[in-house]
């Protein structure tokens, strides 16, 4: 088996693990709440964030959708928890660039998120992968506007 084939297989396993065993599933009380959906495929996300002193102290999601959107939400909540807002937004920008096949800041450790890199070859699925990230950006922007 080629390296690429085994890497694709590993990436599929990581995605399916996050889909079947989602991290940070649920919702938070007294938190920033963002609901978004992807009408083209029916993905829906309910994201709750706790942001204190410019830092994402907790993040949870609920919703329904394809394995890519739910795995991406799981990975995103893991990646942003404990990060300051600026870092969370940088992660989101790098992820968005990766999804669009653009150069991205590889000095930022995306961890499991890199498993979604292959989605960029399927334009119809990019919105699935980026839904949770767009929700997070929307929530942070809305909070910044109210402060």
């Amino acid at each position: 088996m080629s390296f690429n084939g085994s890497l694709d297989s590993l990436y599929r396993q990581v995605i399916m693990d996050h889909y079947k065993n989602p991290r940070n599933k649920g919702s938070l009380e007294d938190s920033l709440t963002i609901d978004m959906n992807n009408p083209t495929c029916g993905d829906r996300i309910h994201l709750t964030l706790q942001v204190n002193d410019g830092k994402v102290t907790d993040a949870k999601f609920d919703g329904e959708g394809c394995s890519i959107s739910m795995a991406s939400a799981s990975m995103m909540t893991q990646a942003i928890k404990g990060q300051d807002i600026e870092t969370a937004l940088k992660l989101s920008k790098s992820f968005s660039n990766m999804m669009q096949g653009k150069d991205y800041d590889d000095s930022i450790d995306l961890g499991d998120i890199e498993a979604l890199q292959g989605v960029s070859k399927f334009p119809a699925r990019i919105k699935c992968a980026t839904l949770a990230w767009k929700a997070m950006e929307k929530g942070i922007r809305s909070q910044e506007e109210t402060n």
Side-chain angles (χ1 to χ4, degrees), residues 34-117:
I34 309 97
D35 290 298
M36 288 186 81
N37 68 347
N38 178 357
T40 55
C41 69
D43 293 335
R44 215 177 33 77
I45 188 155
H46 174 78
L47 180 66
T48 51
L49 300 172
Q50 287 192 325
V51 179
N52 298 307
D53 299 323
K55 196 174 215 170
V56 179
T57 54
D58 206 352
K60 291 197 181 286
F61 78 97
D62 213 340
E64 56 191 33
C66 68
S67 58
I68 291 170
S69 71
M70 294 296 104
S72 182
S74 173
M75 293 174 190
M76 190 259 322
T77 57
Q78 272 199 306
I80 66 169
K81 273 172 70 167
Q83 301 291 345
D84 58 57
I85 288 172
E86 187 180 332
T87 302
L89 292 173
K90 277 183 186 172
L91 277 165
S92 189
K93 177 79 173 150
S94 286
F95 179 70
S96 179
N97 285 343
M98 182 179 78
M99 285 294 96
Q100 295 171 45
K102 295 179 182 174
D103 287 338
Y104 62 96
D105 185 350
D106 57 9
S107 70
I108 296 173
D109 180 16
L110 294 175
D112 282 357
I113 299 163
E114 287 193 17
L116 292 165
Q117 193 167 15

